[in-house]
Structures are given as C-alpha cells and as structure tokens.
C-alpha cells in the first residue's frame, strides 16, 4: 500500500487551479492504484464511459454525465474498470482565494470543519438537474482554460463562484451551515499555523497572541466563527493526519500518535474512535480492503 501527497501544478498561479481532460483506454489501469491526497478540492465529471472513485468511506461508480466532489486533503483513488474506455474532466482548486469581501460571509461553509465536502455528493444524486448544471460549469471552466481567450481569468472566476453558489443553494440538508462574518485575515494564519504544527504542542495562548486577542476573547471568537472549540478543531486536524498516515501501512500506531502531537495513547484511541467511528487497526484493515 502506498500513499502519495500529489503536487498540483496550477496552469495559472493567479487562479490557483488546474483543470484537465483525461482519457484512459481499455485495460490501461490494471494493477494497484495508489491512495493520494492534495490540499485542493477535486471535482470530476465523466464525459464518456465509466470511472470509479474511492474514498475511505464511499465508493462511486460514475457514468457519463456524473459528477463527484472530493474534499481538501481527503484520501482517494480512481480506477477505470478493465475493458472500459473513459474520458473525464478533473478540476483541482484551492477555494480559499475565491472568497473575496463579497463572499467572505460564506467562508466557513466550505472550510470542511464539521462536514467534508464529499458529503455534498448527495446533491448530485438527489437533484439530476444540479448535476447537469455543475457538469456544464466544469465544461466551461475546462474550455476557458484550454482556449485562453481574452479575459478567460474573469470567466473562470465567475464559473467557480457559480459552482459554489449552486452547491450552497441546493444543499437542502444544511451541511453548509450559516454563520457569522469571518475575518479571513485572522483565521487564515491561525489555521495555517495549526496545520504546520500538528506534531507539536499547540498552545492557544500563543495562537491568541498571533490573532491579536486575549486568550478568553479568542476562545469565544474562534468557536463563534468556526462552529466548534479551538481544541476540538485541532483534534480533528490531528486525527485527519493520522488517517492519512495509517493508510501508508509502515508505521505503528504509537509512532503515528506521536507524529500528530498526541502522546497519551488512550486519548489518541478515544479521539480516533470519536471522529472515525472505528479503531486505528480497523481503519487500516478497511483501507487495505477498499
């Protein structure tokens, strides 16, 4: 079992995205397909044939016209069934730069704090017209980037915002929660610091100073803006990293717990089971069997 943090090379650094059309022929994809992940959110539209996508919790068999979304840093792998020809468009995108002042109110909707964006795939199955609309948007983005007509950057930005609006307005389960205004200049460096220091002790006093707030005010501010406590947020990030490390299969649980900054093994098992609904060993077995 191998897992890869896949680098995404943007076609235009200002757009923070890559969109490409892939074609696989016949049994070209026989053999093992590695789990991988990347910071960017991934949208896939099958243009022709059949394609499969797997995550630790779901398997998707995608036919022509089907769309699927994979969340940021989420483990996944694709597979073209033997004997099938398939063509599909893949969009990798860092959503953060698209939240300008007009959209800042909706930043937390897409931060994947409480629900991974993968959970929004129910929209495409429940509402075929939404799937067609998103598929058309992905086609337009691909066409604009490939043709690079004058002003294509503006067109792509408009299509990305159309995509986000479509998801937001058709989420009738309320997975994209409403919230207060988020000051990105405060939260972005805080969340970036957390991601970079998961192996270390993360002191909220230090982080609150970074945000220019008192300890007490920052604690209340963070929960009101993100929806969960600072400690819970850090623990969720630690366990998400542990999931990716477990999928590698060459480190023991103790080493992984230390690598994500949790020295107390009982606490690590408690958190892992709370967030993953299984033990680390069960998770590893499941990943090998998917």
């Amino acid at each position: 079992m191998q897992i890869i943090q896949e680098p995404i090379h943007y076609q235009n650094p200002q757009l923070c995205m890559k969109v490409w059309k892939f074609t696989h022929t016949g049994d070209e994809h026989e053999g093992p397909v590695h789990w991988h992940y990347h910071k960017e959110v991934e949208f896939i539209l099958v243009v022709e044939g059949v394609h499969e996508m797997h995550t630790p919790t779901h398997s998707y068999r995608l036919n022509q016209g089907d769309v699927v979304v994979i969340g940021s840093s989420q483990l996944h792998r694709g597979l073209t069934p033997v004997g099938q020809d398939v063509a599909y468009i893949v969009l990798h995108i860092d959503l953060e730069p698209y939240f300008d002042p007009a959209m800042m109110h909706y930043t937390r909707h897409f931060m994947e704090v409480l629900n991974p964006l993968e959970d929004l795939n129910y929209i495409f199955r429940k509402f075929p017209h939404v799937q067609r609309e998103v598929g058309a948007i992905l086609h337009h983005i691909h066409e604009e980037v490939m043709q690079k007509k004058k002003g294509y950057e503006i067109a792509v930005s408009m299509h990305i915002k159309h995509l986000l609006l479509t998801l937001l307005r058709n989420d009738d389960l309320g997975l994209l929660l409403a919230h207060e205004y988020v000051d990105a200049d405060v939260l972005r460096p805080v969340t970036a610091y957390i991601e970079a220091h998961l192996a270390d002790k993360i002191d909220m006093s230090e982080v609150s100073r970074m945000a220019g707030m008192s300890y007490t005010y920052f604690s209340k501010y963070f929960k009101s803006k993100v929806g969960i406590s600072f400690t819970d947020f850090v623990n969720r990030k630690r366990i998400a990293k542990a999931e990716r490390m477990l999928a590698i299969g060459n480190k023991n649980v103790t080493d992984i717990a230390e690598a994500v900054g949790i020295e107390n093994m009982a606490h690590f098992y408690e958190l892992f089971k709370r967030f993953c609904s299984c033990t680390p060993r069960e998770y590893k077995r499941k990943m090998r069997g998917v």
Side-chain angles (χ1 to χ4, degrees):
M1 172 87 56
Q2 184 178 357
I3 181 172
I4 301 170
Q5 182 172 6
E6 179 184 352
I8 303 299
H9 303 290
Y10 300 147
Q11 291 142 313
N12 182 327
Q14 282 70 46
L15 291 175
C16 297
M17 54 156 286
K18 178 179 180 180
V19 62
W20 208 259
K21 185 176 181 179
F22 294 89
T23 302
H24 297 149
T25 303
D27 58 1
E28 180 180 337
H29 268 215
E30 281 189 295
V33 181
H34 300 309
W35 292 100
H36 63 282
Y37 67 97
H38 35 73
K39 175 188 176 183
E40 293 76 11
V41 173
E42 179 172 338
F43 289 87
I44 299 172
L45 164 67
V46 174
V47 178
E48 180 181 349
V50 178
H51 188 58
E52 295 179 5
M53 285 298 299
H54 300 277
T55 70
T57 55
H58 293 85
S59 293
Y60 305 91
R61 184 177 176 86
L62 306 172
N63 297 298
Q64 183 176 342
D66 286 345
V67 173
V68 70
V69 57
I70 305 296
S72 172
S73 297
Q74 183 174 16
L75 288 168
H76 60 286
R77 61 181 181 179
L79 177 68
T80 300
V82 175
Q84 295 280 348
D85 298 338
V86 65
Y88 53 94
I89 292 172
V90 178
L91 168 67
H92 294 111
I93 180 164
D94 180 359
L95 293 177
E96 186 176 287
Y98 289 87
F99 291 97
D100 56 26
M103 292 184 59
M104 198 57 63
H105 180 72
Y106 300 98
T107 300
R108 199 194 100 191
H109 291 74
F110 296 92
M111 283 179 64
E112 302 186 82
V113 174
L114 300 178
N115 302 100
L117 288 184
E118 181 192 9
D119 288 356
L120 296 180
N121 285 313
Y122 86 88
I123 296 175
F124 305 135
R125 310 289 88 84
K126 187 174 182 178
F127 303 115
H129 71 282
V130 176
Q131 179 164 253
R132 290 193 295 271
E133 183 174 356
V134 171
I137 293 170
L138 295 175
H139 268 295
H140 290 319
I141 293 171
H142 178 256
E143 184 178 78
E144 289 287 351
V145 173
M146 292 299 103
Q147 295 181 359
K148 289 184 170 57
K149 294 180 181 178
K150 184 178 181 180
Y152 83 95
E153 301 94 339
I154 299 173
V156 168
S157 296
M158 291 172 59
H159 288 311
I160 294 299
K161 292 184 178 182
H162 182 192
L163 174 58
L164 298 178
L165 177 62
T166 301
L167 294 175
L168 188 67
R169 287 189 169 174
N170 290 281
D171 173 30
D172 65 348
L173 294 183
L175 301 183
L176 298 173
L177 302 174
H179 67 291
E180 301 177 38
Y181 179 84
V182 171
D183 187 342
D185 291 336
V186 173
L187 285 187
R188 281 176 184 166
V190 166
T191 56
Y193 177 86
I194 292 169
E195 289 282 2
H197 293 85
L198 290 176
D200 308 321
K201 180 180 179 180
I202 298 177
D203 188 343
M204 196 170 79
S205 297
E206 182 177 347
V207 177
S208 61
R209 285 193 295 271
M210 180 189 309
M213 302 176 189
S214 70
Y215 181 98
T216 302
Y217 184 81
F218 176 77
S219 177
K220 294 178 180 178
Y221 176 89
F222 190 92
K223 188 168 185 178
S224 70
K225 301 304 183 183
V226 179
I228 58 176
S229 70
F230 179 82
T231 299
D232 201 12
F233 181 84
V234 171
N235 284 335
R236 286 171 184 261
K237 290 293 185 181
R238 292 193 198 278
I239 297 303
K241 182 177 179 179
E243 288 181 68
R244 296 192 291 270
M245 296 183 71
L246 277 165
I248 299 173
N250 60 358
K251 286 184 178 292
N252 62 48
V253 176
T254 301
D255 289 340
I256 290 174
E258 291 179 356
V260 299
I262 305 175
E263 297 180 357
N264 185 309
M265 290 306 299
H267 187 47
F268 176 78
Y269 277 99
E270 176 191 349
L271 289 173
F272 197 94
K273 193 154 189 178
R274 183 198 305 173
F275 296 132
C276 302
S277 300
C278 64
T279 67
R281 180 175 294 182
E282 289 168 342
Y283 180 84
K284 182 181 289 190
R285 189 182 307 121
K286 179 176 67 173
M287 291 296 289
R288 289 175 174 173
V290 171

